[in-house]
Amino acid sequence: MIHYPNGSSFQQGKLATKKGAVKPVTNYGKRGMTLEEELNQANQYYQTKGLAVIHKKPTPVKIVNVNYPARSAAKITEAYFSQASTTDYNGIYRGHYVDFDAKETKNKTSIPLDNFHEHQIAHLKAITEQGGIGFVVIRFVVQDEVFVYPANRLIAYWQNKATGGRKSIPYAEIHDHGFRVPTQLNPTVPYLAAVDQLIAQLP
Amino acid sequence: MIHYPNGSSFQQGKLATKKGAVKPVTNYGKRGMTLEEELNQANQYYQTKGLAVIHKKPTPVKIVNVNYPARSAAKITEAYFSQASTTDYNGIYRGHYVDFDAKETKNKTSIPLDNFHEHQIAHLKAITEQGGIGFVVIRFVVQDEVFVYPANRLIAYWQNKATGGRKSIPYAEIHDHGFRVPTQLNPTVPYLAAVDQLIAQLP
């Protein structure tokens, strides 16, 4: 039996009310949600509250063929996933330009650097040079912990790898130099609380 | 015969050199380029010079069916264009979060408000409330003039329309309250020069 911070208990996909009646769970909690879905939910929450405007960019697709049937919407009949030239998320928070990617790893002791791509690192470097807030949101699935990890440290690990350094970032490094995202019910991943700490440390 | 600022002359898609030899034009100038292509070129220029990091977002596509052939890339076989929930461009410039859309009109005296969508206006309103720089880049094709027009004035016209006001923004309004983008060879649409003027007028 799991107890939520608000005192309600969770059991087999149902929320038990105080009187013992059981009602179906809608979309609270993160059961079955990917980190991406949780971040989208958090962004929607933040926007509704007027706290931030942050969106996930559409998946980049290279369109090869489109049919235009009469009296119907254009139908794409051949297309391929293409590699993004930037990160997946950006927007504005507390007047700052914020920019990040999200990664999940089932690895317990480190996150392999092959979760990242050269163009993502280059993009994060470019935006931090412009004064933007760059980071990655990393979930360690086994520990069920989420961190906001600053772009500058990720970039340092990336550059170090290129000159023969280690091929992953240790959990301990992220634990010590990232900012832990608290766990709560709604939104389930309140990552801007961790971004507040990151901003507080800026020079 | 057209003469460029640098003194070279342009004739039927060729650049005449001083000695009279003719070489093919590559991709300078805006012949055949859409405003979108010109803005992408400008953004590439600005990023290369380290002045800004601004990208066009991928076209949003609703993917319905994907085939995964053995030993080949995943092929999307059914998808549809979907409506964006934000504007097309955003990024960071001089530490500011910037966010905009681009519109071309062949109308000489005004730009019809049906060039815009409710969600674009709502998004521009949300980002200006967060302290972001919101605007639209508008080209009047007949005059061949491009303006950076501030989001707050566009929003006022939009809201006025909803209560029975006019259905377009007059050219004269955009001329008087927008910021003219100068014409030059590379980039052909140096719109950040006009954004500088917009920033200078901020309260």
Side-chain angles (χ1 to χ4, degrees), chain B residues 61-147:
Chain B
V61 161
K62 184 180 161 60
I63 296 165
V64 175
N65 205 11
V66 183
N67 280 357
Y68 299 91
R71 290 181 296 278
S72 308
K75 179 180 174 180
I76 299 162
T77 56
E78 186 182 358
Y80 300 91
F81 296 101
S82 58
Q83 197 162 70
S85 55
T86 64
T87 50
D88 278 350
Y89 301 84
N90 73 357
I92 183 168
Y93 174 53
R94 291 175 49 189
H96 295 280
Y97 173 85
V98 295
D99 194 303
F100 62 100
D101 244 327
K103 305 288 178 187
E104 290 186 272
T105 182
K106 287 174 178 162
N107 200 318
K108 199 175 170 179
T109 56
S110 68
I111 181 164
L113 282 164
D114 59 15
N115 277 281
F116 302 94
H117 302 290
E118 182 66 40
H119 62 272
Q120 293 172 327
I121 305 290
H123 177 72
L124 285 171
K125 191 161 183 288
I127 69 97
T128 52
E129 282 166 2
Q130 293 291 331
I133 311 280
F135 54 91
V136 278
V137 177
I138 300 171
R139 165 173 282 151
F140 284 94
V141 173
V142 175
Q143 289 94 328
D144 194 17
E145 290 176 351
V146 181
F147 296 92

Side-chain angles (χ1 to χ4, degrees), chain A residues 47 50-53 55 57-61 63 66 68 73-81 85-86 90-97 123 126-127 130-132, chain B residues 47 50-53 55 57-61 63 66 68 73-81 85-86 90-97 123 126-127 130-132:
Chain A
Q47 177 145 3
L51 296 173
V53 180
H55 287 272
K57 294 175 196 168
T59 304
V61 161
I63 296 165
V66 184
Y68 299 92
K75 180 180 174 181
I76 299 162
T77 55
E78 185 181 359
Y80 299 91
F81 296 101
S85 54
T86 63
N90 73 357
I92 182 168
Y93 174 53
R94 290 174 51 189
H96 295 280
Y97 173 86
H123 177 73
I127 69 99
Q130 293 290 330
Chain B
Q47 177 145 2
L51 296 172
V53 179
H55 287 272
K57 295 174 195 168
T59 303
V61 161
I63 296 165
V66 183
Y68 299 91
K75 179 180 174 180
I76 299 162
T77 56
E78 186 182 358
Y80 300 91
F81 296 101
S85 55
T86 64
N90 73 357
I92 183 168
Y93 174 53
R94 291 175 49 189
H96 295 280
Y97 173 85
H123 177 72
I127 69 97
Q130 293 291 331

